[in-house]
Amino acid sequence: MDSVSQLALGAAVGVAVMGRRVGVGKAALAGAAFGTLPDLDVFIDYGDPVSNMTEHRGNSHSLLYLSLLSPLFAWLLCRLPGQRVHWRAWTLTLWLVLVTHVLLDTMTVYGTQLLRPLTDYPFGVGSIFIIDPFYTLPLLLGLAVALVRRGTRGLGANRLGLWLSSLYLGWSLVAQWQVGLAVDRALAAQGVEVERRLVIPTAFNTLLWRALVITPEGYLEGFYSLLDNGAAPEFTAYERGMELYPALAGNPHVARIARFSKGFFKMSERNGQVFVTDLRMGQEPRYSFNFVVAQRHAEGLALVRPEQFSERLELSRALDWLWRRALGEPLPPPGQWASQVGKEREA
């Protein structure tokens, strides 16, 4: 999740456990600081953009490592005046702050390696977008009330915020399951041969969902809103460029993206540059994680040091499409719709 959500969750957990013992302000500050700590791994350079992507949420998100470090962090915190008597309570609190950080990240699709060093498998439920105000706002509001209105009522508001945000995560799982059923029915009705499929929310909400389907011929992308009134999802087919894959399958960077994305990737060539793209984060025709991994020459493909190119749809048009489509308006996919709108405005 985004840094604001993790900060708010850490602070809310800190207040819930330690608010009565050390005061709401101190508990919130400690919770916010340690709730942000695991994501500081983004400042570590692992040598190239592909490694930086796939090592993020690695050792710093290991349940084992964080469990072992929690008593040490609590001991450091207890060096502050008046905190030594709370070492056990701080150990539990910091463990909860760190573990809830990792578990919340696991609810996104990115990939959290929470079982390191046993395995570096990137776990990702994919039921919530990396930024979702409907998750974060209850935490912030409950925390704000706790900071302003001290005492039982403030602590109660903080707990309510935690309950509401947790219920929203539960709702996201139910919604993902419902959309998955609709997608599977549509694919079966169309006779699509499915190698793997993924259902993930679009930005900032859990009403509109994106379906990504890998097929022997390429991949399909479709969108389904819970307000579509039972209409079947429609899919658009795209080429996956797998004719480029055999020549680069041994490239460690390509292999890493293929494994990290759980097979939801594509290959493409533009202006002599060969790209590998994680299809899970973004939507046609723009993706956050595109990496140049080879250059075409007369002699064939030459490997190059990976470079990352992030692409995004124009924000105003993307948001306009997002909310209208989420409310059930039958619009074409965002890339096609943006092109149509642009032509209409030019005319």
Side-chain angles (χ1 to χ4, degrees):
M1 293 292 288
D2 64 287
S3 298
V4 174
S5 297
Q6 293 289 12
L7 184 149
L9 176 60
V13 171
V15 170
V17 183
M18 294 296 290
R20 291 184 184 277
R21 292 184 174 92
V22 301
V24 172
K26 291 179 181 178
L29 182 60
F34 284 93
T36 306
L37 184 63
D39 282 341
L40 296 183
D41 68 338
V42 296
F43 296 107
I44 301 175
D45 186 0
Y46 292 96
D48 63 82
V50 171
S51 297
N52 290 341
M53 175 197 176
T54 56
E55 288 294 331
H56 177 48
R57 298 192 189 177
N59 289 327
S60 68
H61 285 60
S62 163
L63 291 175
L64 176 60
Y65 294 153
L66 293 177
S67 296
L68 293 174
L69 287 171
S70 294
L72 174 60
F73 291 151
W75 178 80
L76 292 173
L77 196 59
C78 287
R79 306 290 289 176
L80 297 174
Q83 299 303 311
R84 184 169 300 179
V85 296
H86 299 302
W87 178 77
R88 290 185 180 180
W90 274 123
T91 297
L92 173 63
T93 301
L94 297 187
W95 182 81
L96 288 171
V97 167
L98 294 168
V99 166
T100 53
H101 175 118
V102 171
L103 295 180
L104 179 58
D105 275 348
T106 305
M107 298 296 290
T108 68
V109 76
Y110 185 94
T112 304
Q113 299 165 56
L114 53 84
L115 292 185
R116 280 196 173 193
L118 302 178
T119 175
D120 61 356
Y121 180 81
F123 293 89
V125 176
S127 67
I128 191 168
F129 189 70
I130 191 171
I131 301 174
D132 192 324
F134 297 100
Y135 172 81
T136 309
L137 283 176
L139 291 172
L140 291 174
L141 291 174
L143 188 61
V145 173
L147 289 169
V148 172
R149 191 168 189 174
R150 305 298 175 93
T152 303
R153 290 189 177 181
L155 293 175
N158 182 70
R159 286 195 299 271
L160 179 60
L162 281 168
W163 273 109
L164 290 176
S165 63
S166 299
L167 287 173
Y168 185 73
L169 287 180
W171 151 251
S172 74
L173 292 170
V174 174
Q176 184 184 46
W177 172 69
Q178 289 180 322
V179 174
L181 292 178
V183 168
D184 290 340
R185 284 195 297 266
L187 293 172
Q190 297 175 31
V192 176
E193 184 179 349
V194 178
E195 291 186 354
R196 55 180 61 87
R197 73 110 170 107
L198 183 65
V199 173
I200 49 179
T202 56
F204 317 133
N205 77 105
T206 51
L207 278 180
L208 180 61
W209 295 73
R210 174 178 179 247
L212 180 61
V213 184
I214 302 296
T215 70
E217 295 78 27
Y219 64 98
L220 309 177
E221 181 185 64
F223 296 89
Y224 182 79
S225 171
L226 295 174
L227 301 180
D228 277 351
N229 295 321
E234 296 183 0
F235 303 96
T236 304
Y238 299 95
E239 295 182 359
R240 197 173 165 217
M242 293 309 287
E243 67 277 1
L244 296 167
Y245 183 65
L248 295 169
N251 181 320
H253 303 298
V254 174
R256 219 167 190 180
I257 293 297
R259 183 174 183 274
F260 191 76
S261 68
K262 303 182 180 73
F264 291 97
F265 71 98
K266 72 173 180 178
M267 309 290 298
S268 59
E269 183 173 348
R270 285 173 274 174
N271 300 320
Q273 293 181 313
V274 179
F275 292 77
V276 59
T277 300
D278 189 325
L279 293 171
R280 301 169 304 156
M281 285 161 281
Q283 56 194 50
E284 289 295 331
R286 308 297 184 191
Y287 291 95
S288 299
F289 295 102
N290 298 291
F291 301 97
V292 176
V293 291
Q295 183 79 39
R296 186 172 294 280
H297 298 284
E299 299 79 14
L301 294 177
L303 303 182
V304 298
R305 186 181 185 277
E307 292 183 60
Q308 181 178 349
F309 293 87
S310 295
E311 303 169 321
R312 291 178 176 84
L313 293 167
E314 184 180 332
L315 183 60
S316 60
R317 293 181 181 178
L319 289 176
D320 189 15
W321 174 87
L322 176 70
W323 297 120
R324 291 171 61 181
R325 183 66 189 86
L327 293 175
E329 189 173 343
L331 297 173
Q336 299 175 19
W337 184 75
S339 298
Q340 291 177 12
V341 172
K343 291 177 180 178
E344 291 173 1
R345 290 179 177 175
E346 290 173 2

